[in-house]
């Protein structure tokens, strides 16, 4: 870019010479043209091509019915509330639902954030509840929103729309959330996918994946692949890096993931699918137990079990994608960099 000079590069390198942030490697000059520059090594690009062109894989968006971002309220400070606010105003819970934030999502588990969203829509039709009905059926919620009405008027883009003054800016379809799904944080330093069977809603810092109804692969099989080192490696090749070693996890990147499909008529592949599901079930259980523990000794023992199971999942993924030892080294060196 025009703002990048030799002096800036030298200064940055000198300031960080004692850190492990910078690693050097050779990139072919043919990667630099008028198009977007690709700083990935030839080995990384070759492995990416292998993953994307395998006849045994499909893009994630080909397997999913939905890949979607969460609710955009337009006024988080009004619509996102905690139990203290619910109790203080005695709000009717029929139109209040628990919601995930990006920071609640971890690998294989989610934290309970005590964040709820006021969602003034019909569960079946997703039509907004008319103001008269809202006032009659949910008088406390209505009064709460009335008290915040001046604050809600600040949404200029909203005021010009045909939405009612107490609506969310982009509510999403309620039914999309109320099914089994895999959730990922929008911004993260690594692949952090968790499995939700409780129908939590999500905010704009989360993306949800819902498999097609005709898919035969199990959600837990998919979860193991998504959290693997191999997909962590792949995401770094296709996504946008952010400051501090973070990456974006949006539909445009997630949809590209090459997911190894399973031929269930093949006993070997059927067993690999079964083995992945079992390992991921172990990870889900271990992480759930870990989050509930207080004692450091018990946590350390469980963490070792988690690391062991994680390595087993990674090894199984390498087998599924038929990676060579050299390709495995490329993945692990890139992810651990």
């Amino acid at each position: 870019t025009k703002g990048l000079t030799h002096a800036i590069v030298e200064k940055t390198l000198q300031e960080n010479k004692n850190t492990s942030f910078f690693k050097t490697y050779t990139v072919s000059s043919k990667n630099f043209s008028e198009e977007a520059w690709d700083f990935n090594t030839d080995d990384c690009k070759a492995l990416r091509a292998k993953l994307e062109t395998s006849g045994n894989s499909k893009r994630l968006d080909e397997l999913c019915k939905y890949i979607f971002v969460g609710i955009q309220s337009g006024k988080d400070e009004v619509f996102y509330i905690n139990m203290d606010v619910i109790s203080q105003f005695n709000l009717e819970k029929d139109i209040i639902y628990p919601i995930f934030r990006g920071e609640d999502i971890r690998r294989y588990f989610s934290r309970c954030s005590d964040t709820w969203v006021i969602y003034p829509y019909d569960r079946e039709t997703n039509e907004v509840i008319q103001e008269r009905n809202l006032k009659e059926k949910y008088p406390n919620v209505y009064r709460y929103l009335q008290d915040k009405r001046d604050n809600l008027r600040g949404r200029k883009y909203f005021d010009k729309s045909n939405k009612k003054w107490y609506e969310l800016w982009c509510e999403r379809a309620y039914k999309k959330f109320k099914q089994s799904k895999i959730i990922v944080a929008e911004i993260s330093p690594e692949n952090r996918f968790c499995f939700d069977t409780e129908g939590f809603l999500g905010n704009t810092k989360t993306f949800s994946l819902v498999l097609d109804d005709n898919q035969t692969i199990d959600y837990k099989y998919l979860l193991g692949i998504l959290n693997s080192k191999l997909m962590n490696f792949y995401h770094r090749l296709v996504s946008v890096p952010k400051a501090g070693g973070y990456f974006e996890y949006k539909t445009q990147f997630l949809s590209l993931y090459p997911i190894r499909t399973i031929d269930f008529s093949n006993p070997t592949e059927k067993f690999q699918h079964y083995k992945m599901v079992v390992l991921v079930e172990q990870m889900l259980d271990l992480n759930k137990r870990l989050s509930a523990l207080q004692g450091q000794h018990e946590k350390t023992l469980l963490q070792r079990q988690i690391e062991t199971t994680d390595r087993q999942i990674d090894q199984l993924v390498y087998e599924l994608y038929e990676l060579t030892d050299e390709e495995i080294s490329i993945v692990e060196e890139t992810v651990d960099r």
Side-chain angles (χ1 to χ4, degrees):
T1 64
K2 293 182 180 179
L4 184 63
T5 66
H6 179 75
I8 292 175
V9 172
E10 277 296 319
K11 182 174 184 293
T12 304
L13 289 171
Q14 286 299 317
E15 290 175 350
N16 293 275
K17 64 183 180 180
N18 294 323
T19 74
S20 59
F21 181 79
F22 292 101
K23 292 179 76 73
T24 60
Y25 54 88
T26 302
V27 180
S28 173
S29 61
K30 68 183 180 182
N31 294 317
F32 306 138
S33 65
E34 293 181 357
E35 304 299 323
W37 287 4
D38 186 350
F39 286 98
N40 294 309
T41 66
D42 290 340
D43 286 342
C44 286
K45 288 191 291 183
L47 181 49
R48 173 182 174 179
K50 174 179 177 176
L51 297 174
E52 293 179 338
T53 58
S54 170
N56 294 325
S57 296
K58 287 186 177 181
R59 281 176 39 145
L60 183 58
D61 61 358
E62 295 180 84
L63 303 176
C64 286
K65 179 164 54 175
Y66 308 118
I67 301 177
F68 64 99
V69 69
I71 290 169
Q72 183 175 354
S73 76
K75 279 289 180 177
D76 290 1
E77 63 269 32
V78 173
F79 291 101
Y80 295 153
I81 55 179
N82 57 32
M83 284 303 299
D84 289 340
V85 173
I86 294 172
S87 298
Q88 179 185 348
F89 292 90
N90 196 25
L91 301 180
E92 296 86 359
K93 291 188 179 180
D94 286 354
I95 55 171
I96 299 175
Y97 305 100
I99 188 168
F100 282 132
R101 304 167 303 169
E103 58 262 42
D104 299 326
I105 308 303
R106 294 290 184 267
R107 294 179 74 245
Y108 294 107
F109 79 102
S110 58
R111 299 184 303 182
C112 181
S113 65
D114 188 31
T115 301
W116 300 66
V117 61
I118 298 174
Y119 192 83
Y121 300 89
D122 184 272
R123 297 182 188 183
E124 294 300 319
T125 66
N126 239 77
E127 295 291 329
V128 63
I129 299 172
Q130 295 302 308
E131 186 168 359
R132 181 182 67 256
N133 294 334
L134 183 68
K135 185 176 182 179
E136 290 176 357
K137 293 186 65 176
Y138 311 105
N140 294 337
V141 169
Y142 184 77
R143 277 193 294 271
Y144 168 83
L145 292 172
Q146 278 279 19
D147 287 345
K148 307 291 183 180
R149 190 161 184 170
D150 286 343
N151 197 351
L152 292 176
R153 285 196 183 99
R155 303 180 286 177
K156 293 182 180 179
Y157 55 89
F158 190 96
D159 295 338
K160 295 177 182 179
S161 74
N162 60 0
K163 283 179 170 284
K164 299 187 182 301
W165 64 268
Y166 53 87
E167 284 195 66
L168 300 160
W169 174 236
C170 190
E171 69 277 7
R172 309 298 172 192
Y174 177 80
K175 287 185 176 179
K176 281 188 177 182
F177 293 105
K178 303 307 287 185
Q179 56 193 316
S180 295
K181 59 186 180 292
I182 291 174
I183 306 177
V184 62
E186 180 206 10
I187 303 294
S188 175
E190 62 179 355
N191 285 29
R192 290 179 176 175
F193 293 84
C194 74
F195 188 38
D196 173 45
T197 58
E198 298 182 39
F200 273 49
L201 279 61
N203 72 357
T204 52
K205 299 303 181 182
T206 65
F207 280 76
S208 296
L209 319 173
V210 178
L211 285 170
D212 269 334
D213 295 335
N214 62 357
Q215 280 305 317
T216 52
I217 61 171
D218 192 285
Y219 271 104
K220 294 167 187 173
Y221 168 84
L222 177 59
L223 185 62
I225 290 179
L226 295 176
N227 277 326
S228 69
K229 274 190 177 181
L230 181 59
M231 285 305 113
N232 212 332
F233 162 82
Y234 181 81
H235 193 90
R236 295 185 181 203
L237 300 185
V238 301
S239 70
V240 177
K242 309 290 284 184
Y246 283 74
F247 296 87
E248 288 188 340
Y249 288 79
K250 295 184 175 182
T251 303
Q252 66 202 78
F253 308 123
L254 300 171
S255 62
L256 302 175
Y257 278 34
I259 304 301
R260 176 63 158 83
T261 55
I262 294 294
D263 177 4
F264 284 92
S265 67
N266 182 319
T268 299
E269 293 194 18
K270 184 176 181 180
F271 176 74
Q272 288 175 317
H273 180 273
Y274 168 77
K275 184 177 179 182
M276 178 68 82
V277 170
V278 170
L279 287 171
V280 170
E281 285 176 344
Q282 290 177 11
M283 284 293 280
L284 293 171
D285 179 63
L286 288 168
N287 278 283
K288 182 179 180 180
R289 289 161 53 194
L290 181 66
S291 64
L293 283 178
Q294 299 295 326
Q296 188 57 48
H297 177 68
E298 292 82 358
K299 282 187 175 182
T300 301
L301 293 177
L302 268 182
Q303 190 61 53
R304 288 174 184 168
Q305 290 180 262
I306 288 172
E307 292 170 0
T308 297
T309 308
D310 223 0
R311 287 193 294 270
Q312 292 174 323
I313 290 173
D314 283 332
Q315 187 56 47
L316 179 55
V317 171
Y318 295 148
E319 292 174 11
L320 283 162
Y321 287 83
E322 299 178 340
L323 264 59
T324 65
D325 289 342
E326 291 75 17
E327 290 168 336
I328 293 172
S329 295
I330 292 169
V331 170
E332 303 207 341
E333 288 173 7
T334 302
V335 172
D336 295 337
R337 181 181 298 153

